[in-house]
Amino acid sequence: MESQGSTAEAEALMQSIEKESSGGAALPPPVIAAPVAQLTGADMFKPPILQRLLVGSWVLITINTLIFGFVIFLPQFFLRQGLTIANSLGYTVVLSVASLVGCAIGAYCSDAIGRRWSIIGASIVTIVFGYVYARFNAASDPAIVLSIGFVLIAAIYVQTAILFGVYTPELFPTEIRLRANGICNTLGRGATVVSPFIVGALMANYALPGVVWLMIGLVVVQIVAVYLWGVEPRNRGLEEVAAKA
């Protein structure tokens, strides 16, 4: 409101909020944040926002590929390993429960640990368990495939909950958030168009291990990008996040 010139209305609203939140008691002195320069659309393609745009785009490309190039293909993977359609769907239902567990873990860890390290930790788990998962066969090693697969799917959905829910929008200052997040999501959704063709080719030539190595490659780059260029928004004000690279 104040930025639009409605100073009196903004002040009245803030006073009512302060009165309600303090219960009538005196509030501590306000901490004045350092002024942050307003950004324009062109600033998205200049450092440090450019690095954040690359991070946001890559993590959404990665997580969309993991979902639409691996999770959605699970029934097909099982069929190729010799399971019947009924058994394949049963396995898929069991592993789908892991998506709910992963989202719950992601929601908790994003605040308890922090967005950045939760993403990196879940990415490492994805790499380790993805590598192990590709070494077994659903028809001959059902218990191992289900247990390892459960952890793998949960790790993927930890990333899903954090990246879609909080992290990518928080990378950008308020004035360019919608545009920058829109670019990231556009590129991420573009991956859902391309990834099925890539996965199909990998399955035809290299079977499941080929698909898993694609996943691992994407996630390795994601770890490096988030570690080097990602910011940690947890317990930080919008102005502080916007001002720091």
Side-chain angles (χ1 to χ4, degrees), residues 66-214:
L66 294 184
I67 294 173
F68 292 93
F70 178 74
V71 178
I72 299 299
F73 274 80
L74 282 175
Q76 182 65 29
F77 297 151
F78 292 141
L79 289 175
R80 284 177 174 265
Q81 291 179 341
L83 293 181
T84 65
I85 293 177
N87 287 339
S88 172
L89 293 177
Y91 276 48
T92 304
V93 169
V94 172
L95 294 182
S96 295
V97 175
S99 65
L100 301 177
V101 175
C103 287
I105 294 173
Y108 172 78
C109 290
S110 64
D111 287 328
I113 299 174
R115 283 75 151 140
R116 205 157 153 252
W117 285 110
S118 295
I119 295 167
I120 292 173
S123 299
I124 293 172
V125 173
T126 300
I127 292 172
V128 173
F129 280 82
Y131 174 78
V132 175
Y133 183 84
R135 299 174 69 87
F136 293 93
N137 186 287
S140 57
D141 308 294
I144 295 176
V145 168
L146 283 176
S147 57
I148 298 298
F150 191 94
V151 178
L152 175 59
I153 299 299
I156 290 174
Y157 275 89
V158 168
Q159 299 167 71
T160 302
I162 298 174
L163 294 174
F164 282 118
V166 292
Y167 188 67
T168 307
E170 289 179 337
L171 288 171
F172 307 107
T174 305
E175 59 269 26
I176 61 170
R177 178 169 296 155
L178 185 60
R179 283 171 287 179
N181 197 45
I183 292 174
C184 296
N185 274 281
T186 298
L187 294 174
R189 297 302 293 180
T192 68
V193 177
V194 177
S195 58
F197 296 98
I198 297 175
V199 169
L202 290 173
M203 277 295 296
N205 293 282
Y206 304 103
L208 180 59
V211 179
V212 171
W213 279 112
L214 170 65

Side-chain angles (χ1 to χ4, degrees), residues 38-61:
Q38 294 292 300
L39 300 179
T40 65
D43 292 315
M44 291 188 294
F45 305 101
K46 302 175 184 177
I49 304 301
L50 175 60
Q51 288 93 317
R52 300 188 191 186
L53 188 67
L54 293 174
V55 171
S57 298
W58 187 263
V59 298
L60 292 188
I61 289 171

